[in-house]
Amino acid sequence: MSTAGEFAAWVDAVLREPEPYPALGPAASDLDQVTGTWSVRGKQETWDNCPEAFRQRYVLCRKAPASLEMVQGRVVHGVAQAVLEARVQGKSEPDPAEVAKSLYDQAKYEIEVWPLHPAQAEAETIMYARLLAEELLPRHPVQVESRFEVDLGFTRLVGVIDYIDDRGVVGDFKVAGPSRDLEHEAHHGMQLSVYSLAYRRMTGEAPTALRLDVLAKGHPPRTFSIITERTESQERAALYTIEQTIKSVRTGIFPPNTHGRNCHPDRCPFWGVCPARGQPFISTP
């Protein structure tokens, strides 16, 4: 190596070299344990985005650093939970801004990459929480953060429903960017299909309606709700998709989704250890 610059580039390349992909993959027993329980918000969503990211997170148990977007979603959900629980219990409601500030102060240290100045990010997060509390929360909830577990035989489906109101409406909160297709997600997304199924299993009847409560980021941000429903056919389709995904996981094959939106150093927390980066093309017979 003739120059210090070339040597520095070589050192940088070595340090960034991804870990070799295990030739035999994880043990089958490990994969059985991974798929023993299943969540739509976590495992299914991660697999749909990228099977290799699923392997990194759930098989190798690598912890992904929190993004500002994740922290904001967590804070907004926490504020919603605090206010709704007070309504269920008939207590005085907490100040959304104070709850948001407390939750944000606890979570902000997990953020490694800041797309905004920390002070601006804090003000934005508190604004989102106050807006959701003022404009989206149901007046008469009967259950908040309702946990469910459904035995499907091949796995136990687990999750948390944000709220159920006194009319049997099942609701879910979303903090989303302006480009996200929330209409499609509301009417066809797996998460509400699974919530509908869980409610049916818990009560013996279908929910009165499903409601997606959205806080859409922007300048200015806005709130809206989408009312929808699910048929039993849609619920069965969701279960079939979950079953086939679990079968795929248990094969130990995790193809990286290199053409997906999340395959970018700013959006994938496992970019630095992805085995697909810098690999030569290998044809298969």
Side-chain angles (χ1 to χ4, degrees):
M1 296 184 185
S2 57
T3 68
E6 289 175 340
F7 177 73
W10 176 79
V11 170
D12 183 67
V14 169
L15 292 176
R16 292 177 177 271
E17 186 72 21
E19 296 179 7
Y21 194 80
L24 300 179
S29 59
D30 295 338
L31 298 179
D32 286 343
Q33 184 176 5
V34 167
T35 56
T37 60
W38 199 258
S39 58
V40 171
R41 231 178 202 169
K43 292 180 179 178
Q44 186 69 46
E45 191 174 86
T46 304
W47 176 274
D48 289 344
N49 284 331
C50 178
E52 170 58 26
F54 181 98
R55 184 182 78 95
Q56 296 285 343
R57 181 174 176 183
Y58 293 106
V59 179
L60 301 182
C61 299
R62 287 202 170 103
K63 181 175 173 57
S67 65
L68 174 60
E69 184 179 51
M70 291 168 59
V71 167
Q72 288 179 332
R74 193 189 312 169
V75 169
V76 168
H77 273 80
V79 170
Q81 180 180 355
V83 174
L84 290 180
E85 285 180 345
R87 291 180 183 177
V88 169
Q89 298 166 11
K91 298 180 179 179
S92 59
E93 297 178 14
D95 181 354
E98 291 182 2
V99 176
K101 178 69 166 62
S102 175
L103 293 174
Y104 181 82
D105 284 344
Q106 296 172 38
K108 64 184 180 182
Y109 300 103
E110 300 176 29
I111 302 173
E112 294 185 1
V113 179
W114 288 85
L116 302 173
H117 187 280
Q120 183 183 353
E122 177 179 335
E124 183 180 85
T125 304
I126 294 173
M127 175 190 65
Y128 289 154
R130 182 187 289 116
L131 189 62
L132 178 134
E134 292 174 351
E135 299 186 4
L136 284 178
L137 298 186
R139 295 305 312 171
H140 304 288
V142 294
Q143 293 187 45
V144 182
E145 294 291 301
S146 179
R147 297 183 180 276
F148 64 84
E149 182 173 320
V150 179
D151 187 356
L152 301 179
F154 55 90
T155 190
R156 295 195 315 280
L157 186 61
V158 298
V160 181
I161 296 173
D162 286 348
Y163 70 84
I164 302 171
D165 74 9
D166 60 343
R167 298 170 299 161
V169 174
V170 172
D172 185 57
F173 298 117
K174 290 290 182 199
V175 180
S179 62
R180 190 161 169 179
D181 187 354
L182 276 305
E183 283 286 342
H184 185 274
E185 189 168 332
H187 298 306
H188 305 286
M190 186 181 291
Q191 189 171 332
L192 288 184
S193 295
V194 166
Y195 287 2
S196 178
L197 169 73
Y199 184 90
R200 194 189 299 273
R201 294 284 182 94
M202 289 188 294
T203 66
E205 57 187 29
T208 304
L210 301 168
R211 193 172 108 166
L212 191 66
D213 295 314
V214 180
L215 193 157
K217 296 180 180 181
H219 303 284
R222 63 191 181 98
T223 62
F224 59 92
S225 296
I226 304 173
I227 306 298
T228 186
E229 62 182 4
R230 289 294 188 275
T231 64
E232 290 188 68
S233 176
Q234 286 175 295
E235 293 173 7
R236 287 195 299 270
L239 293 184
Y240 179 77
T241 300
I242 291 171
E243 182 179 19
Q244 296 303 306
T245 303
I246 286 176
K247 287 181 179 179
S248 297
V249 172
R250 289 175 177 170
T251 66
I253 298 173
F254 302 92
N257 183 9
T258 55
H259 58 279
R261 180 185 180 278
N262 287 344
C263 193
H264 187 278
D266 294 338
R267 290 188 286 269
C268 179
F270 307 112
W271 178 264
V273 292
C274 178
R277 294 180 57 234
Q279 297 299 312
F281 174 77
I282 301 175
S283 61
T284 58

